[in-house]
Amino acid sequence: IAGITQAPTSQILAAGRRMTLRCTQDMRHNAMYWYRQDLGLGLRLIHYSNTAGTTGKGEVPDGYSVSRANTDDFPLTLASAVPSQTSVYFCASSDTLAGDYNEQFFGPGTRLTVL
Amino acid sequence: GQNIDQPTEMTATEGAIVQINCTYQTSGFNGLFWYQQHAGEAPTFLSYNVLDGLEEKGRFSSFLSRSKGYSYLLLKELQMKDSASYLCAVRDGDYQLIWGAGTKLIIKP
């Protein structure tokens, strides 16, 4: 693995179904993030984790949950999908070094359609 | 509230120079980022400014004025491959970013 991987690449899901989007990074970054990107709205933060074992809510957390059991993995779960959750989902990670850019690195994205 | 504004779309000619502006109003400021995103791909990091002034990196430069809540990304010697969306983002706290909606740049031959 090099960088951040996401799975699946794309998915069509029936409304009401449960779905977990997977994200794994091999850069040993402390912080990880989940975004959704919708046309005209830019990237919106769903949930984040500043370090393994901790998570926080972003701008649009409703209907989503996350866990951070270890440094590498940060799955995003939709408990009961609704059509408004149709979007492209990006996972990202960053380091947390004092004085550093700590820029975010992005996975390739998951295109999710909820019907 | 938190707000980042960028033009929705710009058009420029191959070989020319283009400036993409970004204005922001955030509760805090801990750096401003520019990212490039080609259609159907993930955003990739271009530049970072935390102090006022110009940061140059090859054909790309980024400028910041904290007192004016303003930044721009300058692209020189435009190439067709520069056709992409350019995203402005502000870090207002520790690590999370607030993102603008992005500027779609169309390069014409």
Side-chain angles (χ1 to χ4, degrees):
Chain A
I1 299 177
I4 301 181
T5 58
Q6 293 185 235
T9 302
S10 65
Q11 182 76 43
I12 299 174
L13 190 66
R17 296 296 296 269
R18 180 184 180 89
M19 174 75 191
T20 295
L21 307 185
R22 300 184 298 278
C23 174
T24 298
Q25 55 108 354
D26 67 352
M27 296 176 282
R28 309 303 294 173
H29 286 166
N30 283 329
M32 296 188 75
Y33 316 85
W34 273 106
Y35 293 97
R36 58 178 293 173
Q37 188 174 39
D38 303 289
L39 196 62
L41 293 180
L43 289 162
R44 292 185 290 169
L45 183 65
I46 304 170
H47 285 286
Y48 65 92
S49 169
N50 287 339
T51 190
T54 69
T55 62
K57 294 181 180 180
E59 179 186 356
V60 289
D62 294 343
Y64 306 94
S65 64
V66 292
S67 61
R68 187 89 185 277
N70 57 60
T71 298
D72 298 346
D73 301 300
F74 191 43
L76 176 75
T77 297
L78 289 68
S80 179
V82 295
S84 62
Q85 292 177 312
T86 293
S87 187
V88 179
Y89 290 86
F90 286 104
C91 179
S93 72
S94 72
D95 219 325
T96 55
L97 302 174
D100 194 76
Y101 290 5
N102 294 320
E103 72 268 31
Q104 294 185 9
F105 294 84
F106 285 79
T110 294
R111 185 174 297 273
L112 182 67
T113 302
V114 183
L115 301 175
Chain B
Q2 315 271 53
N3 197 48
I4 297 180
D5 289 318
Q6 309 177 232
T8 302
E9 187 174 298
M10 299 182 69
T11 302
T13 303
E14 189 177 16
I17 299 173
V18 71
Q19 177 175 311
I20 303 173
N21 295 325
C22 170
T23 58
Y24 62 90
Q25 289 179 305
T26 55
S27 56
F29 182 83
N30 193 19
L32 185 144
F33 294 81
W34 283 96
Y35 278 74
Q36 180 189 61
Q37 185 177 25
H38 285 101
E41 298 183 7
T44 55
F45 170 73
L46 283 179
S47 69
Y48 172 72
N49 295 70
V50 68
L51 300 177
D52 289 355
L54 189 69
E55 293 283 341
E56 297 186 81
K57 190 185 292 186
R59 294 190 298 116
F60 293 5
S61 302
S62 56
F63 172 83
L64 175 67
S65 168
R66 288 173 298 172
S67 62
K68 295 182 179 178
Y70 169 70
S71 173
Y72 67 73
L73 180 69
L74 191 72
L75 291 73
K76 303 175 185 176
E77 301 170 14
L78 286 170
Q79 302 175 9
M80 298 304 293
K81 68 179 181 179
D82 298 329
S83 291
S85 289
Y86 291 86
L87 315 180
C88 174
V90 170
R91 184 161 57 206
D92 74 331
D94 288 338
Y95 311 119
Q96 292 84 45
L97 301 180
I98 303 165
W99 295 81
T103 298
K104 182 178 181 179
L105 178 63
I106 299 168
I107 309 297
K108 295 187 175 181

